[in-house]
């Protein structure tokens, strides 16, 4: 998935009720990571979680990882330096692509919502999102794509 397509998918904020500045701020905070597939893993640099735009280095709460080989992006939440959670952005109701809004993932099709661990917060979906095992390997986060 190219960057333009990716941004289109991940940054379509519901325009109703959101001002232009809020929209831009929200989109600016989204970090896209073009992952590399190696074997059965998707590798993303841990550096992509680092936000150096402020005077003090901060860490992003999540990064959206994509690759042309994947049908959907993977949203990776960072809870601390050793705790990451990778979620398939495919809705478990009827398979639409989810949109990420900070600490929740929303389905534009019928309104299902999921939390940062992929648990259903609002139906009609009734199953959690697919999660991927992750492990840190040097400067990379390895996301296992095996079933
Ligand atoms: S496909 Fe996501 S709520 Fe229906």
């Amino acid at each position: 998935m190219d960057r333009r397509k990716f941004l289109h998918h991940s940054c379509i904020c519901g325009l109703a009720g959101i001002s232009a500045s809020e929209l831009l701020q929200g989109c600016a905070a989204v970090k896209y990571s073009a992952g590399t597939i190696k074997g059965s893993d998707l590798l993303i640099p841990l550096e992509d979680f680092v936000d150096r735009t402020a005077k003090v280095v901060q860490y992003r709460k999540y990064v959206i990882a994509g690759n042309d080989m994947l049908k959907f992006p993977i949203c990776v939440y960072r809870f601390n330096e050793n705790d990451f959670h990778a979620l398939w952005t495919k809705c478990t109701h009827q398979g639409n692509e989810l949109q990420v809004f900070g600490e929740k993932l929303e389905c534009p099709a019928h309104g299902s919502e999921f939390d940062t661990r992929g648990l259903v917060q609002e139906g009609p979906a009734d199953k959690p999102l697919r999660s991927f095992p992750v492990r840190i390997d040097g400067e990379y986060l390895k996301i296992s794509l095996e079933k």
Side-chain angles (χ1 to χ4, degrees):
M1 177 182 301
D2 65 30
R3 182 173 169 78
R4 176 182 286 178
K5 187 175 174 187
F6 171 79
L7 288 173
H8 174 76
H9 285 284
S10 62
C11 206
I12 298 173
C13 303
L15 294 177
I18 299 177
S19 72
S21 65
E22 287 173 315
L23 180 64
L24 290 173
Q25 286 174 7
C27 291
V30 175
K31 173 66 178 175
Y32 170 76
S33 180
T36 303
I37 292 184
K38 195 170 184 182
S40 59
D41 296 325
L42 177 69
L43 279 64
I44 60 172
L46 287 167
E47 178 68 20
D48 285 351
F49 287 92
V50 180
D51 180 359
R52 299 184 189 282
T53 58
K55 286 183 179 176
V56 179
V57 174
Q58 297 177 325
Y59 292 92
R60 295 183 171 91
K61 290 184 177 173
Y62 67 95
V63 163
I64 300 179
N67 183 284
D68 289 341
M69 302 288 286
L70 301 175
K71 279 188 170 181
F72 296 89
I74 295 174
C75 183
V76 185
Y77 283 98
R78 179 191 185 277
F79 299 102
N80 62 51
E81 63 185 310
N82 296 310
D83 187 7
F84 295 84
H85 203 89
L87 298 169
W88 193 227
T89 59
K90 180 181 180 183
C91 184
T92 56
H93 179 229
Q94 291 181 353
N96 281 65
E97 185 171 330
L98 301 171
Q99 296 171 357
V100 181
F101 294 99
E103 297 189 351
K104 70 178 174 180
L105 299 95
E106 292 181 6
C107 182
H110 312 107
S112 289
E113 294 181 11
F114 303 86
D115 68 12
T116 55
R117 299 284 181 178
L119 301 176
V120 176
Q121 300 300 299
E122 190 72 43
D126 60 0
K127 295 183 183 79
L129 298 177
R130 179 181 175 191
S131 292
F132 299 89
V134 297
R135 65 185 188 285
I136 295 171
D137 185 3
E139 303 297 313
Y140 290 90
L141 186 70
K142 284 187 170 182
I143 302 167
S144 174
L145 303 175
E146 288 183 0
K147 296 205 174 198

